[in-house]
C-alpha cells in the first residue's frame, strides 16, 4: 500500500515537515520525481535542515528511504546533503537506497540550464539552475546516464561522448564559462555515490508492498509546476502529480491509497510565470515577512498572494486528493481580513477553470472575503481551540473543494499540527 504526500500549489507548501510528521506511520519513504531543485525544510531537535534529494524520512532511524527512478540525481548535492545529515548523527548509508534507473545530473546539464535561461531574456522560467530541465531532456531524448551506469567500466567513455554533445549545445548558446571545477567535484562525488545501496527500485518497493509494508511517496515541487498540467512553460520538467508516483517508483495505480494534498492557507510562487492571486502590495509583503517566504534552495523572495480555489480544485481533480493538509495557517494570525479566490474573470468573462495559456490571457481573480481570526494559534493542539473565524474559513474550503481539510499545520515544528 502506498500513500502520497504532494504539493497542490507552486511548491514550498511545507511537504518536508509533513512527510517528517507522517513518516512514523510508514516503513518506507520514497522520492519519486524532481531533484535538487526541491528544498524541503525540517526541524530536528529544534534545528533547521533543508533536504534537496534525500527523502524526508531520513531522521527516522528505523525507516527505509528510497530515491526512486523518477528522480534526477546530482551526486555533488547528495554528497553535501549527506554530510549535513551526518552532523545530526544520522547513519545515512544504513537505510538509504537509490534506484539504478534514476538519471544523473551532469555538470554540463547545469551549464545548459544556465545558458538556456540566459538566452531567454525576459521570458526566463526562473529555473533553480540545478540542471533539472536538461537532465530530463536527456532522459526523454534517450541520451542520459543513470545511477546504475556508474558501475559500468565504460562510464567515463559514455560521459565523454555525452559531454561532446553537450559542448555543441553550449557553443550554440555561446556559453563561455569554465566548468572544469564542477567536473572535478562531480567525479569525486560519483565515487561517493557508488558506496550507496544501488538497487532495482521497482522490485525493491513492490517486494516491500507485497510483504505488507507501508510506503509513503514524497512529492517535490507542486501540481501547478507539473510538466503537463502546470502553467507551462513556467513549470518544472517532471510529473509532480500522483500519476508520477507510478512512473517514478514503478508501482501500479491500484496500490495508491491516500493522496494527501498539501496547501498553504495562502499561496506562494518562486520563479516566473502566472500567479493570478499574487499580491503586489503591503499585504503581500506582510505575508512574505511573517512567513519567511524566501526560497529554501535559492534564497529568492517568494511571491505571495491569496489562496486560489480555482487552482486548488484543479489540483485536487488531477491528483485524486483524498485529504488536504493546510499549512502555515499561523502566518495569517494577524490579518484583519482574508480573501479566497473563487473564480477568474478571463478577459472579462467569469470562469471556474484553469485556462490553457494562463500567461497569455488577462486573469482577474474574483474574491470572497473572510474575517481574520486575530489570534495566535501556534500553541494550540486541538481543533476545538481554534478560533471560529478560522473554522469558517476551513468550512468554506471543505464545501468548495469537496475534499476535507483534515490537518492544519500551525507552525514549522514537527508536532505543530492539528487534526480536524
Ligand atoms: P516544501 O518544499 O514543500 O517542503 O516547503 P519548504 O520547506 O520549501 O517551505 C516551507 C517553509 O515553511 C519552511 O520554512 C517550513 O519550516 C515552514 N513551515 C511549514 N509548515 C509551517 C507552518 O504550519 N507554519 C509555519 N509558520 N511555518 C511552516
Ligand atoms: P519544492 O520541492 C518551488 C520552480 C522554479 C522555477 C520552475 C522551474 O521545494 O516545493 P527548475 O529548477 O525545476 O527547472 O525550475 O520551478 N521550482 C520550485 N518552486 N519549490 C520547488 O520545490 C521548486 N522546484 C522548482 O522556481 O520557477
Ligand atoms: Mg521547498
Amino acid at each position: 500500500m502506498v500513500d502520497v504526500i504532494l504539493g497542490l500549489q507552486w511548491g514550498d507548501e511545507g511537504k518536508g515537515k509533513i512527510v517528517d510528521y507522517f513518516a512514523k506511520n510508514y516503513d518506507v519513504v520514497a522520492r519519486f520525481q524532481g531533484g535538487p531543485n526541491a528544498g524541503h525544510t525540517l526541524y530536528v531537535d529544534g534545528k533547521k535542515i533543508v533536504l534537496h534529494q534525500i527523502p524526508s524520512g531520513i531522521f527516522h532511524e528505523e525507516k527505509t528511504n528510497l530515491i526512486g527512478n523518477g528522480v534526477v540525481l546530482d551526486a555533488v548535492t547528495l554528497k553535501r546533503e549527506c554530510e549535513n545529515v551526518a552532523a545530526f548523527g544520522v547513519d545515512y548509508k544504513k537505510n538509504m537506497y537509490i534506484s539504478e534507473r534514476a538519471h544523473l545530473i551532469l555538470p554540463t546539464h547545469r551549464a545548459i540550464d544556465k545558458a538556456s535561461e540566459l538566452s531567454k531574456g525576459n521570458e526566463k522560467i526562473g529555473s533553480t539552475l540545478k540542471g533539472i530541465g536538461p537532465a530530463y531532456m536527456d532522459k526523454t531524448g534517450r541520451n542520459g546516464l543513470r545511477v546504475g551506469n556508474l558501475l559500468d567500466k565504460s562510464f567515463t567513455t559514455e560521459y565523454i561522448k555525452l559531454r561532446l554533445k553537450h559542448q555543441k549545445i553550449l557553443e550554440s548558446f555561446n556559453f563561455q564559462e569554465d566548468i572544469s571545477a564542477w567536473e572535478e567535484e562531480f567525479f569525486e562525488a560519483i565515487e561517493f555515490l557508488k558506496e550507496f545501496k544501488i538497487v532495482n527500485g521497482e522490485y525493491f518497493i513492490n517486494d516491500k508492498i507485497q510483504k505488507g509494508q507501508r510506503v509513503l511517496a514524497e512529492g517535490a515541487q507542486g501540481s501547478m509546476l507539473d510538466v503537463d498540467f502546470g502553467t507551462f512553460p513556467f513549470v518544472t520538467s517532471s510529473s509532480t502529480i500522483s500519476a508520477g508516483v507510478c512512473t517514478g517508483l514503478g508501482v501500479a495505480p491500484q496500490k495508491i491509497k491516500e493522496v494527501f494534498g498539501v496547501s498553504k492557507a495562502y499561496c506562494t510562487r518562486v520563479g516566473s510565470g502566472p500567479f493570478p492571486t499574487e499580491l503586489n502590495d503591503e499585504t503581500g509583503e506582510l505575508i512574505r515577512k511573517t512567513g519567511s517566504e524566501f526560497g529554501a534552495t535559492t534564497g529568492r523572495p517568494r511571491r505571495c498572494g491569496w489562496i486560489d480555489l480555482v487552482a486548488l480544485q484543479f489540483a485536487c481533480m488531477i491528483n485524486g486528493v483524498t485529504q488536504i493538509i493546510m499549512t502555515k495557517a499561523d502566518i495569517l494570525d494577524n490579518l484583519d481580513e482574508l480573501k479566497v479566490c473563487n473564480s477568474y474573470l478571463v478577459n472579462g468573462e467569469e470562469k471556474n477553470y484553469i485556462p490553457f495559456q494562463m500567461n497569455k490571457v488577462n486573469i482577474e481573480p474574483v474574491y470572497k472575503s473572510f474575517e481574520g481570526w486575530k489570534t495566535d494559534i501556534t500553541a494550540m493542539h486541538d481543533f476545538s481551540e481554534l478560533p471560529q473565524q478560522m473554522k469558517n474559513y476551513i468550512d468554506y474550503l471543505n464545501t468548495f473543494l469537496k475534499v476535507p481539510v483534515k490537518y492544519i499545520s500551525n507552525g514549522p515544528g514537527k508536532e505543530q499540527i492539528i487534526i480536524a
Side-chain angles (χ1 to χ4, degrees):
M1 191 274 310
V2 182
D3 291 344
V4 187
I5 289 180
L6 47 73
L8 297 179
Q9 299 168 311
W10 280 278
D12 302 327
E13 297 89 350
K15 300 173 291 292
K17 167 198 156 150
I18 301 299
V19 171
D20 187 30
Y21 168 78
F22 276 97
K24 59 181 182 284
N25 306 330
Y26 295 86
D27 303 292
V28 183
V29 180
R31 275 279 304 268
F32 59 93
Q33 46 70 235
N37 48 351
H40 295 179
T41 314
L42 276 61
Y43 279 85
V44 182
D45 303 328
K47 280 202 344 229
K48 177 175 165 172
I49 180 155
V50 180
L51 298 174
H52 302 285
Q53 301 183 109
I54 298 178
S56 300
I58 197 71
F59 293 99
H60 299 254
E61 215 183 311
E62 68 292 2
K63 311 293 179 190
T64 299
N65 287 273
L66 174 70
I67 296 180
N69 60 278
V71 168
V72 283
L73 191 66
D74 181 337
V76 178
T77 320
L78 184 74
K79 185 166 176 270
R80 211 172 297 141
E81 245 180 288
C82 286
E83 287 158 6
N84 288 345
V85 302
F88 283 79
V90 172
D91 180 2
Y92 54 82
K93 276 197 192 137
K94 192 169 138 231
N95 292 328
M96 193 155 73
Y97 296 77
I98 303 176
S99 164
E100 59 193 358
R101 293 183 192 272
H103 277 248
L104 289 168
I105 299 179
L106 308 178
T108 39
H109 287 140
R110 276 163 61 197
I112 295 170
D113 204 0
K114 193 170 173 187
S116 159
E117 280 286 78
L118 281 173
S119 76
K120 287 195 156 98
N122 290 336
E123 308 272 275
K124 283 187 184 35
I125 306 293
S127 150
T128 59
L129 304 180
K130 302 291 178 193
I132 306 297
Y136 278 115
M137 277 163 74
D138 267 342
K139 173 178 177 171
T140 51
R142 299 165 293 182
N143 286 315
L145 292 167
R146 298 182 287 176
V147 170
N149 295 126
L150 287 177
L151 310 173
D152 297 342
K153 280 206 182 68
S154 59
F155 180 78
T156 309
T157 320
E158 294 302 324
Y159 174 83
I160 291 167
K161 271 202 239 163
L162 192 52
R163 197 198 189 289
L164 283 172
K165 283 188 192 168
H166 289 167
Q167 201 57 47
K168 292 207 178 88
I169 300 173
L170 287 168
E171 276 162 22
S172 75
F173 281 118
N174 202 15
F175 186 80
Q176 308 280 2
E177 254 177 78
D178 177 15
I179 61 160
S180 52
W182 294 2
E183 286 195 306
E184 208 171 298
E185 265 185 334
F186 172 75
F187 276 98
E188 234 178 76
I190 60 171
E191 289 309 314
F192 173 79
L193 191 54
K194 280 184 197 165
E195 293 166 20
F196 277 88
K197 295 174 206 157
I198 297 173
V199 294
N200 178 306
E202 56 279 19
Y203 281 110
F204 180 83
I205 206 151
N206 280 292
D207 181 53
K208 302 238 176 258
I209 295 169
Q210 209 162 15
K211 287 183 175 137
Q213 293 202 4
R214 292 166 59 100
V215 176
L216 182 61
E218 173 181 6
Q221 291 76 58
S223 305
M224 298 307 286
L225 287 170
D226 179 83
V227 67
D228 282 278
F229 301 107
T231 44
F232 190 89
F234 302 96
V235 294
T236 189
S237 301
S238 65
S239 294
T240 62
I241 64 167
S242 53
V245 174
C246 298
T247 54
L249 291 177
V251 298
Q254 312 91 288
K255 298 282 190 314
I256 297 176
K257 204 170 151 231
E258 296 296 327
V259 180
F260 297 100
V262 188
S263 165
K264 279 175 181 158
Y266 50 97
C267 193
T268 63
R269 167 162 210 171
V270 61
S272 337
F275 180 5
T277 60
E278 182 170 14
L279 290 168
N280 289 308
D281 59 9
E282 64 273 22
T283 308
E285 196 52 49
L286 182 69
I287 295 176
R288 176 158 44 246
K289 232 171 109 198
T290 318
S292 310
E293 293 295 357
F294 296 89
T297 299
T298 57
R300 293 177 291 177
R302 294 176 183 148
R303 300 154 64 192
C304 299
W306 297 121
I307 200 164
D308 179 343
L309 296 189
V310 182
L312 265 187
Q313 194 170 47
F314 176 73
C316 286
M317 175 180 79
I318 57 177
N319 284 299
V321 174
T322 57
Q323 307 183 31
I324 291 173
I325 300 168
M326 190 168 97
T327 55
K328 303 194 90 160
D330 54 300
I331 301 306
L332 305 180
D333 278 356
N334 294 318
L335 298 185
D336 295 322
E337 184 197 26
L338 274 64
K339 289 186 183 176
V340 306
C341 166
N342 279 329
S343 61
Y344 297 153
L345 282 182
V346 181
N347 297 336
E349 247 182 85
E350 191 162 355
K351 304 276 182 203
N352 57 3
Y353 60 81
I354 299 290
F356 168 55
Q357 296 189 98
M358 251 192 176
N359 52 321
K360 298 264 169 82
V361 288
N362 177 32
I363 301 181
E364 226 180 282
V366 179
Y367 289 117
K368 178 175 168 64
S369 287
F370 285 82
E371 194 188 330
W373 44 87
K374 308 282 280 176
T375 312
D376 179 354
I377 62 160
T378 52
M380 296 181 180
H381 298 286
D382 198 87
F383 189 76
S384 63
E385 292 175 81
L386 291 177
Q388 189 54 46
Q389 293 93 327
M390 187 173 180
K391 288 181 181 162
N392 296 344
Y393 186 71
I394 294 169
D395 276 348
Y396 187 77
L397 263 56
N398 287 340
T399 311
F400 192 103
L401 298 169
K402 299 188 183 73
V403 181
V405 174
K406 280 280 181 72
Y407 297 86
I408 298 131
S409 172
N410 58 334
K414 184 157 69 174
E415 300 310 328
Q416 283 175 298
I417 194 157
I418 295 168
I419 302 174

